[in-house]
Amino acid sequence: EREYHANRNAAPLIDVSPLYKYLVTGHDAARLLDHVVTRNVGKAKVGQVLYTPWCDAEGKQIDDGTISVLEEDRFRMTAADPTLRWLHLNSSGHDVAIEDVSERTAALSLQGPNSRAILQVAAQRDLSTLKFFRLTNAQIRGIPVTISRTGYTGDLGYEIWVDSAQAVPLWDALIETGAPYGITPAGMLALDVARIEAGLLLIEVDYFSSRHALIEAQKPSQLELGLDCTVATDKPRYNGKDALDAEGRRGPSWQFTGLTVDWDSLEKLYAEVGLPPRVPTQAWRMSVPIYDPGGRQVGYATSGGWSPLLKRYMALAHLESPSAAPGTQLRMEITVEHRRKQATAHVTPLPFFNPERKRA
């Protein structure tokens, strides 16, 4: 709980080094990435960071991550799953070098409302002009770093990229500098609640990679995941373009959205067995059926929990498109005293939490 509240009231420091990281360089580096991902990499400027998914030829999502434009022909790509082989498979005929730098590049995520103040002291420079999804080079106590205004909490935040040999001294420097600002080392349990509040997807929890899915029904498209804004309409070719174009014309069959459980409905279910209402103390990750008022299953939730900040029981869910309109009343399965019940829930647009300071 202390780590979670640091996300929203102070500054959590999170080790995100386990991300896979690839350096893509050469004359055709942008061309290769433009072929692999759905964002328009060719239009990105030096110093810009793109959040982007990538998909297979059928338009089904493989993974998502970021692409940082370090120089005109030098890019850093991050991924949740190993992606080196996929990049090589798509690089035929390109003048490009692809290097796995996962082990030698560390990354620390400093998030929360006090993150900027801490970094400005640590780096001894003004970061107020560093825009959302932009990066800059700096030094922290003589350690060369790259600072990007990115993160996975849906709040004001930064990620600091550094040579792995300097990661521990950098961590210590940030902890020391941030002590007066409430800096708090934080882990995945706290991060899970924050990313659900922000409506952010987690691979193998909220969706299966098309490379890991066992059946076709487990493979989602970017449009079904609500990532329409990441599908470029201004570039001629990329993996999955034809399939995504066709799906865009007919509309996706499923939609990824938020659900808010009605408190009075939840309270009534517990009162029926003589208990006060209980909410999960940690975010849960499992498939939970969602029904329409007539009892027909229209989708499933994949993760959820109680938001201490918003004071609501929230969930992320995949719903059939006709049932996904904001405000639609549905029912979510809840287990009360070992018995399956159904609580009223309402479709809620994502994100649940979107503070102005994130982009300001």
Side-chain angles (χ1 to χ4, degrees):
E1 290 180 0
R2 182 174 61 88
E3 294 175 15
Y4 163 79
H5 285 292
N7 272 293
R8 302 306 185 211
N9 299 295
L13 184 61
I14 308 160
D15 180 11
V16 293
S17 300
L19 285 170
Y20 289 91
K21 299 168 284 284
Y22 305 102
L23 201 60
V24 183
T25 59
H27 178 72
D28 290 334
R31 183 178 165 212
L32 167 63
L33 292 171
D34 249 340
H35 176 67
V36 170
V37 306
T38 57
R39 292 290 298 273
N40 195 325
V41 180
K43 286 192 172 183
K45 307 297 183 183
V46 174
Q48 188 172 352
V49 183
L50 300 176
Y51 165 71
T52 183
W54 48 98
C55 56
D56 59 24
E58 285 72 45
K60 304 301 183 180
Q61 185 151 318
I62 294 174
D63 199 347
D64 61 329
T66 60
I67 292 176
S68 298
V69 188
L70 305 177
E71 298 172 14
E72 289 287 349
D73 58 356
R74 188 166 175 263
F75 302 80
R76 179 176 56 235
M77 182 179 186
T78 67
D81 281 348
T83 306
L84 184 63
R85 183 171 180 269
W86 182 249
L87 290 172
H88 278 300
L89 286 173
N90 284 275
S91 66
S92 178
H94 291 77
D95 177 14
V96 66
I98 307 165
E99 187 178 2
D100 187 342
V101 295
S102 302
E103 292 298 321
R104 73 167 195 251
T105 304
L108 304 181
S109 182
L110 181 62
Q111 303 288 301
N114 292 347
S115 57
R116 178 183 292 147
I118 295 170
L119 267 185
Q120 289 188 150
V121 174
Q124 297 183 323
R125 57 174 294 184
D126 180 15
L127 294 173
S128 62
T129 58
L130 183 61
K131 295 181 179 180
F132 194 44
F133 274 89
R134 297 296 190 276
L135 59 81
T136 186
N137 294 319
Q139 285 201 355
I140 295 177
R141 294 193 182 174
I143 301 171
V145 299
T146 300
I147 298 171
S148 61
R149 191 170 167 183
T150 52
Y152 192 55
T153 64
D155 212 320
L156 173 66
Y158 301 84
E159 290 173 317
I160 306 103
W161 307 84
V162 65
D163 185 278
S164 59
Q166 298 294 321
V168 172
L170 175 63
W171 176 282
D172 292 342
L174 291 171
I175 290 291
E176 183 180 331
T177 303
Y181 299 89
I183 195 170
T184 302
M188 191 62 206
L189 293 181
L191 184 59
D192 227 6
V193 179
R195 67 99 188 165
I196 293 172
E197 289 176 338
L200 299 175
L201 291 157
L202 182 59
I203 191 172
E204 309 306 336
V205 173
D206 297 307
Y207 76 95
F208 284 105
S209 166
S210 67
R211 293 190 296 185
H212 300 163
L214 300 177
I215 58 176
E216 197 65 28
Q218 293 178 342
K219 300 178 181 180
S221 72
Q222 289 176 231
L223 304 185
E224 291 175 334
L225 294 175
L227 299 176
D228 314 47
C229 62
T230 66
V231 180
T233 58
D234 55 353
K235 65 177 185 178
R237 299 296 306 168
Y238 56 85
N239 287 340
K241 184 180 188 303
D242 291 343
L244 289 173
D245 284 348
E247 185 177 8
R249 288 191 292 270
R250 67 177 181 269
S253 301
W254 291 81
Q255 293 187 35
F256 185 74
T257 186
L259 285 176
T260 299
V261 177
D262 181 76
W263 181 259
D264 290 340
S265 172
L266 186 69
E267 191 173 41
K268 181 180 178 181
L269 293 178
Y270 279 93
E272 289 172 353
V273 297
L275 290 172
R278 296 179 180 175
V279 293
T281 57
Q282 297 178 5
W284 47 261
R285 303 177 179 182
M286 56 184 174
S287 182
V288 175
I290 307 296
Y291 304 92
D292 67 14
R296 186 178 74 87
Q297 185 172 351
V298 294
Y300 55 97
T302 48
S303 53
W306 175 255
S307 168
L309 177 69
L310 304 176
K311 302 295 186 288
R312 66 166 67 172
Y313 192 170
M314 58 190 180
L316 304 178
H318 297 263
L319 300 174
E320 295 175 356
S321 291
S323 299
T328 300
Q329 181 175 305
L330 300 171
R331 302 188 68 80
M332 187 171 88
E333 191 171 278
I334 302 283
T335 300
V336 178
E337 197 58 18
H338 316 297
R339 295 183 181 275
R340 293 178 180 176
K341 306 289 185 179
Q342 292 180 19
T344 300
H346 293 88
V347 177
T348 307
L350 295 174
F352 297 105
F353 178 68
N354 190 25
E356 184 179 347
R357 64 179 179 244
K358 178 176 74 175
R359 294 175 178 271

